[in-house]
Amino acid sequence: MKHYLPGGSYDAITPESAGWDYSGLGLFSLGGARREHTFATGGSEALVLPLAGSCTVTCDGETFTVRGRRDVFSRVTDFVYVPRDADVTVRGEGRFAVPSARCETRLAARYGPAEDVPVELRGAGVASRQVNNFCTPEGFPYAEKLIACEVLTPGGNWSSYPPHKHDQDRPGECVLEEIYYFEVARGGMGYQRVYGTPERPIEVLEEVRTGDAVLIPHGWHGPSMAVPGYDLYYLNVMAGPSDERAWLICDDPSHAWVRSAWAEQEMDPRLPLTDVEGLG
């Protein structure tokens, strides 16, 4: 398995190409002479998520209007959930992500308003970040397997920290395959760390730029580092074998103490990074 995929080297991550069973991510752009994109979901449920731009999404005889956004740093976006075994047509202009997860049940297509997205400010000090929980079990309970969120980290801060994992089925932790898709403000860069155990080794320390992705089949992941001057965005896509759609993580015991230090620190005043006025 290739754990680091530079932007431009892929247009879709499938369970087959990733070497796992559930999580996927598609990317496409519309504009100029190409204003329409059609795809079949096959055995996966999915989302149509604007990264930049707006669109309409037609699925199962319904058409949903998606207002979208200027870019990932401007505001929280609305989106559309589409079920497995569906034909989907997207018309509009912009760049779009399609997070997906293999599943068994065919649910109804559904619109996700931006106003209903829970926006969380997590951490403190230089570990402050913003999390848009648009498709977490609590934020969007209408999926079978798919879990997705967006994390925005101000320049100079660390997120996905303390390092954590979700690769064992045990109390307080569940198995989830995870994709990190990155965008960086102003053409900058960030860094992503992943490391394993002697029993299940993995080693990733990559400079990431807009369009890059990191695949995490197992192991501790974090920190995600936003270098000074360049805000960092990543889209997390997760799914796994559990019958319960849950996001249960275990911190690296060597670094778990960091969470307790946040009580004595202030939230970074630059947050929220995006326009969240009137949002959930």
Side-chain angles (χ1 to χ4, degrees):
M1 173 189 289
K2 292 183 178 180
H3 299 114
Y4 166 65
L5 302 177
S9 69
Y10 70 98
D11 55 15
I13 298 165
T14 66
E16 290 79 12
S17 69
W20 56 34
D21 297 315
Y22 294 95
S23 297
L25 176 67
L27 299 168
F28 66 91
S29 296
L30 295 175
R34 187 184 185 223
R35 295 298 181 98
E36 180 176 301
H37 176 69
T38 299
F39 65 95
T41 58
S44 297
E45 59 186 353
L47 308 174
V48 178
L49 179 77
L51 299 171
S54 59
C55 65
T56 62
V57 178
T58 301
C59 177
D60 289 349
E62 288 190 86
T63 297
F64 305 91
T65 298
V66 181
R67 292 168 292 169
R69 54 188 165 185
R70 184 177 69 253
D71 56 51
V72 296
F73 297 102
S74 63
R75 63 165 287 137
V76 179
T77 187
D78 49 350
F79 61 95
V80 173
Y81 169 92
V82 292
R84 61 166 291 159
D85 301 318
D87 293 320
V88 182
T89 299
V90 183
R91 297 181 178 89
E93 185 170 5
R95 296 184 297 108
F96 303 89
V98 183
S100 64
R102 288 274 168 79
C103 67
E104 297 296 327
T105 307
R106 192 180 197 279
L107 304 174
R110 185 181 292 264
Y111 173 70
E115 291 80 5
D116 291 349
V117 173
V119 176
E120 174 188 2
L121 301 186
R122 186 179 297 172
V126 295
S128 301
R129 63 272 203 182
Q130 174 184 337
V131 185
N132 302 334
N133 291 299
F134 68 94
C135 190
T136 59
E138 297 77 19
F140 188 77
Y142 307 107
E144 181 188 2
K145 291 284 189 182
L146 180 59
I147 299 173
C149 69
E150 300 176 319
V151 180
L152 296 105
T153 309
N157 285 9
W158 286 19
S159 58
S160 195
Y161 194 75
H164 60 280
K165 71 179 183 73
H166 35 70
D167 60 13
Q168 290 180 272
D169 184 11
R170 61 178 182 171
E173 185 178 356
C174 61
V175 177
L176 293 169
E177 309 157 349
E178 185 162 18
I179 300 167
Y180 275 55
Y181 165 82
F182 295 91
E183 300 210 351
V184 189
R186 294 180 292 280
M189 80 290 278
Y191 293 87
Q192 177 66 43
R193 178 80 169 107
V194 185
Y195 59 97
T197 63
E199 297 76 23
R200 301 184 75 186
I202 182 173
E203 286 292 334
V204 179
L205 178 57
E206 291 287 352
E207 180 177 294
V208 292
R209 296 176 179 269
T210 293
D212 293 357
V214 171
L215 309 185
I216 304 172
H218 61 267
W220 310 104
H221 38 289
S224 303
M225 295 163 267
V227 303
Y230 298 98
D231 298 335
L232 177 68
Y233 163 98
Y234 50 89
L235 168 65
N236 289 144
V237 183
M238 294 169 278
S242 175
D243 291 337
E244 180 185 6
R245 180 174 170 246
W247 186 9
L248 303 177
I249 68 170
C250 173
D251 288 337
D252 182 338
S254 298
H255 306 293
W257 67 270
V258 170
R259 290 189 188 273
S260 63
W262 294 341
E264 301 175 0
Q265 302 174 43
E266 299 293 329
M267 181 63 60
D268 190 314
R270 292 175 291 178
L271 292 171
L273 281 180
T274 63
D275 177 10
V276 296
E277 183 178 355
L279 301 182

